[in-house]
Amino acid sequence: MKTEIFYFTGTGNSLVFAKKLSENIPGSDIVPIAGSIARDTISTDAEIVGIVFPMYFWGIPKIVAEFVGKLSMEKAVYFFYVMTSGDFSSPQYVSGRFDRILKKKNKKVNAGYRVAMPSNYIKMYEVDPPELINKKNRQIKFWIDKISKDVTGGKDDPLKDKFTPAAMLVNWLWKINVNKSDDKFHAEDGCNSCGICKDVCPVNNIVMTSEKPEWNNKCQECLACIHICPQRAIQSGKSTRNKGRYLHPEISVKDIIDQKK
Ligand SMILES: Cc1cc2nc3c(=O)[nH]c(=O)nc-3n(C[C@H](O)[C@H](O)[C@H](O)COP(=O)(O)O)c2cc1C
Ligand code: SF4
Ligand code: SF4
């Protein structure tokens, strides 16, 4: 069956996962969400539709929810998602959210997965130590094998949400404020005006003015600009100043830039 796997990524985890999954599902393609979202109409004639993305504040990135809302998928008989997250500890409201979006298209979530990968939320936490990064990246093989088998076998068993009204409130507050989450982003003196931050931003939220980047409140909070700046010059207030930086070891800066194609 024709399969399309749409992905969104900040620091490469979800892209690696989408690539490896596609290699295991015969006849499947991967398609970047960032490169398609600006079109007036987005459609797929795939029978199996998959979405791979990072977990943001216990839920779905804003751009991913908007994309699925816009996506016309008349031939789809099977919808699945894979959410990469820093760990398994937080609540989640994902299957229910997708079901609400898909109901308008007479579709539903057939399967959903949450896979722990290296954590990139350096506004609050440190990056994982190298041993943990390697361990998590090794463990995805189990998930690739399982999910490709489930999807090709048509398994119908969506991941149950575990959320409380408080968790939903946290996610909702994050969602309504996320575009302005760049308010505290700034480039420090080490910036050499290379423009890479502008290039990696999946939503073109950065412009170079007076040789320094400026942010324009269209942010998705993917943190690609902060993690990928070669000079480590971008900070969010003071919260990221003493933290490490992360890009999945199998992903290049060009791969991140190319998701806009
Ligand atoms: C804005 C933001 C919010 C996040 N929220 C969560 C979360 O609620 N729970 C969690 O386990 N990880 C969270 N993370 C970590 C990412 O989901 C995780 O590192 C993911 O694999 C990154 O994928 P990427 O490399 O494809 O961008 C968050 C990361 C960001 C940038
Ligand atoms: S990537 Fe870093 S060094 Fe390059 S322009 Fe942006 S802030 Fe400056
Ligand atoms: S400005 Fe930075 S954090 Fe915001 S969407 Fe662009 S790359 Fe991601």
PDB file of all heavy atoms in Angstrom, residues 84-102:
ATOM      1  N   THR A  84       8.491  11.458  19.165  1.00  0.00           N
ATOM      2  CA  THR A  84       9.748  11.271  19.886  1.00  0.00           C
ATOM      3  C   THR A  84       9.730  12.225  21.072  1.00  0.00           C
ATOM      4  O   THR A  84       9.284  13.371  20.950  1.00  0.00           O
ATOM      5  CB  THR A  84      10.979  11.536  18.987  1.00  0.00           C
ATOM      6  OG1 THR A  84      11.089  12.935  18.706  1.00  0.00           O
ATOM      7  CG2 THR A  84      10.888  10.750  17.687  1.00  0.00           C
ATOM      8  N   SER A  85      10.179  11.739  22.236  1.00  0.00           N
ATOM      9  CA  SER A  85      10.146  12.595  23.429  1.00  0.00           C
ATOM     10  C   SER A  85      11.423  12.370  24.226  1.00  0.00           C
ATOM     11  O   SER A  85      12.155  11.395  23.986  1.00  0.00           O
ATOM     12  CB  SER A  85       8.915  12.266  24.286  1.00  0.00           C
ATOM     13  OG  SER A  85       9.054  10.996  24.867  1.00  0.00           O
ATOM     14  N   GLY A  86      11.681  13.263  25.179  1.00  0.00           N
ATOM     15  CA  GLY A  86      12.904  13.144  25.979  1.00  0.00           C
ATOM     16  C   GLY A  86      12.893  11.923  26.880  1.00  0.00           C
ATOM     17  O   GLY A  86      13.918  11.307  27.124  1.00  0.00           O
ATOM     18  N   ASP A  87      11.703  11.611  27.412  1.00  0.00           N
ATOM     19  CA  ASP A  87      11.555  10.389  28.219  1.00  0.00           C
ATOM     20  C   ASP A  87      10.084  10.010  28.248  1.00  0.00           C
ATOM     21  O   ASP A  87       9.280  10.539  27.480  1.00  0.00           O
ATOM     22  CB  ASP A  87      12.123  10.573  29.636  1.00  0.00           C
ATOM     23  CG  ASP A  87      11.418  11.693  30.394  1.00  0.00           C
ATOM     24  OD1 ASP A  87      10.228  11.938  30.113  1.00  0.00           O
ATOM     25  OD2 ASP A  87      12.047  12.322  31.264  1.00  0.00           O
ATOM     26  N   PHE A  88       9.735   9.072  29.141  1.00  0.00           N
ATOM     27  CA  PHE A  88       8.344   8.601  29.181  1.00  0.00           C
ATOM     28  C   PHE A  88       7.590   9.170  30.377  1.00  0.00           C
ATOM     29  O   PHE A  88       6.474   8.762  30.649  1.00  0.00           O
ATOM     30  CB  PHE A  88       8.314   7.062  29.263  1.00  0.00           C
ATOM     31  CG  PHE A  88       8.795   6.386  28.010  1.00  0.00           C
ATOM     32  CD1 PHE A  88       9.953   5.640  28.006  1.00  0.00           C
ATOM     33  CD2 PHE A  88       8.077   6.494  26.820  1.00  0.00           C
ATOM     34  CE1 PHE A  88      10.394   5.008  26.853  1.00  0.00           C
ATOM     35  CE2 PHE A  88       8.515   5.873  25.658  1.00  0.00           C
ATOM     36  CZ  PHE A  88       9.673   5.128  25.674  1.00  0.00           C
ATOM     37  N   SER A  89       8.197  10.109  31.124  1.00  0.00           N
ATOM     38  CA  SER A  89       7.624  10.451  32.433  1.00  0.00           C
ATOM     39  C   SER A  89       6.412  11.385  32.360  1.00  0.00           C
ATOM     40  O   SER A  89       5.512  11.285  33.180  1.00  0.00           O
ATOM     41  CB  SER A  89       8.707  11.077  33.303  1.00  0.00           C
ATOM     42  OG  SER A  89       9.121  12.303  32.737  1.00  0.00           O
ATOM     43  N   SER A  90       6.347  12.278  31.381  1.00  0.00           N
ATOM     44  CA  SER A  90       5.300  13.297  31.426  1.00  0.00           C
ATOM     45  C   SER A  90       3.969  12.759  30.914  1.00  0.00           C
ATOM     46  O   SER A  90       3.917  11.750  30.218  1.00  0.00           O
ATOM     47  CB  SER A  90       5.732  14.500  30.576  1.00  0.00           C
ATOM     48  OG  SER A  90       5.893  14.110  29.237  1.00  0.00           O
ATOM     49  N   PRO A  91       2.865  13.456  31.255  1.00  0.00           N
ATOM     50  CA  PRO A  91       1.573  13.071  30.675  1.00  0.00           C
ATOM     51  C   PRO A  91       1.555  13.360  29.180  1.00  0.00           C
ATOM     52  O   PRO A  91       2.499  13.963  28.653  1.00  0.00           O
ATOM     53  CB  PRO A  91       0.570  13.972  31.397  1.00  0.00           C
ATOM     54  CG  PRO A  91       1.335  14.892  32.250  1.00  0.00           C
ATOM     55  CD  PRO A  91       2.785  14.640  32.099  1.00  0.00           C
ATOM     56  N   GLN A  92       0.505  12.960  28.500  1.00  0.00           N
ATOM     57  CA  GLN A  92       0.418  13.267  27.065  1.00  0.00           C
ATOM     58  C   GLN A  92      -1.035  13.380  26.645  1.00  0.00           C
ATOM     59  O   GLN A  92      -1.897  12.683  27.181  1.00  0.00           O
ATOM     60  CB  GLN A  92       1.109  12.177  26.242  1.00  0.00           C
ATOM     61  CG  GLN A  92       0.397  10.855  26.315  1.00  0.00           C
ATOM     62  CD  GLN A  92       1.311   9.703  25.979  1.00  0.00           C
ATOM     63  OE1 GLN A  92       2.504   9.710  26.243  1.00  0.00           O
ATOM     64  NE2 GLN A  92       0.734   8.678  25.392  1.00  0.00           N
ATOM     65  N   TYR A  93      -1.292  14.305  25.744  1.00  0.00           N
ATOM     66  CA  TYR A  93      -2.617  14.425  25.152  1.00  0.00           C
ATOM     67  C   TYR A  93      -2.404  14.507  23.649  1.00  0.00           C
ATOM     68  O   TYR A  93      -2.177  15.568  23.100  1.00  0.00           O
ATOM     69  CB  TYR A  93      -3.328  15.668  25.686  1.00  0.00           C
ATOM     70  CG  TYR A  93      -4.677  15.894  25.025  1.00  0.00           C
ATOM     71  CD1 TYR A  93      -5.618  14.872  24.992  1.00  0.00           C
ATOM     72  CD2 TYR A  93      -4.994  17.099  24.428  1.00  0.00           C
ATOM     73  CE1 TYR A  93      -6.842  15.057  24.373  1.00  0.00           C
ATOM     74  CE2 TYR A  93      -6.214  17.300  23.814  1.00  0.00           C
ATOM     75  CZ  TYR A  93      -7.125  16.277  23.790  1.00  0.00           C
ATOM     76  OH  TYR A  93      -8.333  16.459  23.167  1.00  0.00           O
ATOM     77  N   VAL A  94      -2.427  13.361  22.977  1.00  0.00           N
ATOM     78  CA  VAL A  94      -2.016  13.301  21.577  1.00  0.00           C
ATOM     79  C   VAL A  94      -3.030  12.537  20.718  1.00  0.00           C
ATOM     80  O   VAL A  94      -3.571  13.081  19.753  1.00  0.00           O
ATOM     81  CB  VAL A  94      -0.610  12.653  21.457  1.00  0.00           C
ATOM     82  CG1 VAL A  94      -0.174  12.577  20.004  1.00  0.00           C
ATOM     83  CG2 VAL A  94       0.410  13.465  22.246  1.00  0.00           C
ATOM     84  N   SER A  95      -3.334  11.271  21.103  1.00  0.00           N
ATOM     85  CA  SER A  95      -4.296  10.493  20.300  1.00  0.00           C
ATOM     86  C   SER A  95      -5.639  11.223  20.258  1.00  0.00           C
ATOM     87  O   SER A  95      -6.253  11.362  19.195  1.00  0.00           O
ATOM     88  CB  SER A  95      -4.482   9.091  20.885  1.00  0.00           C
ATOM     89  OG  SER A  95      -3.291   8.349  20.777  1.00  0.00           O
ATOM     90  N   GLY A  96      -6.074  11.714  21.415  1.00  0.00           N
ATOM     91  CA  GLY A  96      -7.367  12.409  21.479  1.00  0.00           C
ATOM     92  C   GLY A  96      -7.365  13.677  20.636  1.00  0.00           C
ATOM     93  O   GLY A  96      -8.340  13.991  19.955  1.00  0.00           O
ATOM     94  N   ARG A  97      -6.241  14.394  20.667  1.00  0.00           N
ATOM     95  CA  ARG A  97      -6.142  15.646  19.886  1.00  0.00           C
ATOM     96  C   ARG A  97      -6.203  15.337  18.392  1.00  0.00           C
ATOM     97  O   ARG A  97      -6.924  15.983  17.638  1.00  0.00           O
ATOM     98  CB  ARG A  97      -4.841  16.351  20.274  1.00  0.00           C
ATOM     99  CG  ARG A  97      -4.543  17.629  19.513  1.00  0.00           C
ATOM    100  CD  ARG A  97      -4.859  18.867  20.338  1.00  0.00           C
ATOM    101  NE  ARG A  97      -4.880  20.056  19.487  1.00  0.00           N
ATOM    102  CZ  ARG A  97      -3.803  20.711  19.097  1.00  0.00           C
ATOM    103  NH1 ARG A  97      -2.614  20.321  19.502  1.00  0.00           N
ATOM    104  NH2 ARG A  97      -3.916  21.777  18.320  1.00  0.00           N
ATOM    105  N   PHE A  98      -5.421  14.328  17.956  1.00  0.00           N
ATOM    106  CA  PHE A  98      -5.460  13.964  16.540  1.00  0.00           C
ATOM    107  C   PHE A  98      -6.863  13.491  16.146  1.00  0.00           C
ATOM    108  O   PHE A  98      -7.366  13.831  15.079  1.00  0.00           O
ATOM    109  CB  PHE A  98      -4.442  12.856  16.230  1.00  0.00           C
ATOM    110  CG  PHE A  98      -3.068  13.353  15.919  1.00  0.00           C
ATOM    111  CD1 PHE A  98      -1.953  12.763  16.493  1.00  0.00           C
ATOM    112  CD2 PHE A  98      -2.854  14.403  15.025  1.00  0.00           C
ATOM    113  CE1 PHE A  98      -0.665  13.207  16.204  1.00  0.00           C
ATOM    114  CE2 PHE A  98      -1.567  14.858  14.727  1.00  0.00           C
ATOM    115  CZ  PHE A  98      -0.475  14.254  15.321  1.00  0.00           C
ATOM    116  N   ASP A  99      -7.486  12.673  17.011  1.00  0.00           N
ATOM    117  CA  ASP A  99      -8.832  12.178  16.682  1.00  0.00           C
ATOM    118  C   ASP A  99      -9.812  13.320  16.449  1.00  0.00           C
ATOM    119  O   ASP A  99     -10.647  13.266  15.555  1.00  0.00           O
ATOM    120  CB  ASP A  99      -9.357  11.250  17.794  1.00  0.00           C
ATOM    121  CG  ASP A  99      -8.970   9.789  17.541  1.00  0.00           C
ATOM    122  OD1 ASP A  99      -8.685   9.435  16.372  1.00  0.00           O
ATOM    123  OD2 ASP A  99      -8.940   9.017  18.510  1.00  0.00           O
ATOM    124  N   ARG A 100      -9.678  14.380  17.273  1.00  0.00           N
ATOM    125  CA  ARG A 100     -10.579  15.538  17.090  1.00  0.00           C
ATOM    126  C   ARG A 100     -10.343  16.198  15.744  1.00  0.00           C
ATOM    127  O   ARG A 100     -11.279  16.656  15.083  1.00  0.00           O
ATOM    128  CB  ARG A 100     -10.367  16.558  18.221  1.00  0.00           C
ATOM    129  CG  ARG A 100     -11.008  16.070  19.509  1.00  0.00           C
ATOM    130  CD  ARG A 100     -10.771  17.021  20.638  1.00  0.00           C
ATOM    131  NE  ARG A 100     -11.395  18.326  20.405  1.00  0.00           N
ATOM    132  CZ  ARG A 100     -11.436  19.282  21.310  1.00  0.00           C
ATOM    133  NH1 ARG A 100     -10.898  19.088  22.485  1.00  0.00           N
ATOM    134  NH2 ARG A 100     -12.007  20.428  21.039  1.00  0.00           N
ATOM    135  N   ILE A 101      -9.067  16.278  15.329  1.00  0.00           N
ATOM    136  CA  ILE A 101      -8.747  16.896  14.032  1.00  0.00           C
ATOM    137  C   ILE A 101      -9.227  15.985  12.898  1.00  0.00           C
ATOM    138  O   ILE A 101      -9.813  16.435  11.908  1.00  0.00           O
ATOM    139  CB  ILE A 101      -7.224  17.149  13.914  1.00  0.00           C
ATOM    140  CG1 ILE A 101      -6.747  18.117  14.993  1.00  0.00           C
ATOM    141  CG2 ILE A 101      -6.864  17.669  12.525  1.00  0.00           C
ATOM    142  CD1 ILE A 101      -5.225  18.250  15.111  1.00  0.00           C
ATOM    143  N   LEU A 102      -9.001  14.667  13.062  1.00  0.00           N
ATOM    144  CA  LEU A 102      -9.286  13.717  11.981  1.00  0.00           C
ATOM    145  C   LEU A 102     -10.780  13.454  11.802  1.00  0.00           C
ATOM    146  O   LEU A 102     -11.226  13.056  10.717  1.00  0.00           O
ATOM    147  CB  LEU A 102      -8.567  12.388  12.255  1.00  0.00           C
ATOM    148  CG  LEU A 102      -7.037  12.441  12.177  1.00  0.00           C
ATOM    149  CD1 LEU A 102      -6.428  11.155  12.733  1.00  0.00           C
ATOM    150  CD2 LEU A 102      -6.567  12.649  10.739  1.00  0.00           C
TER     151      LEU A 102
END
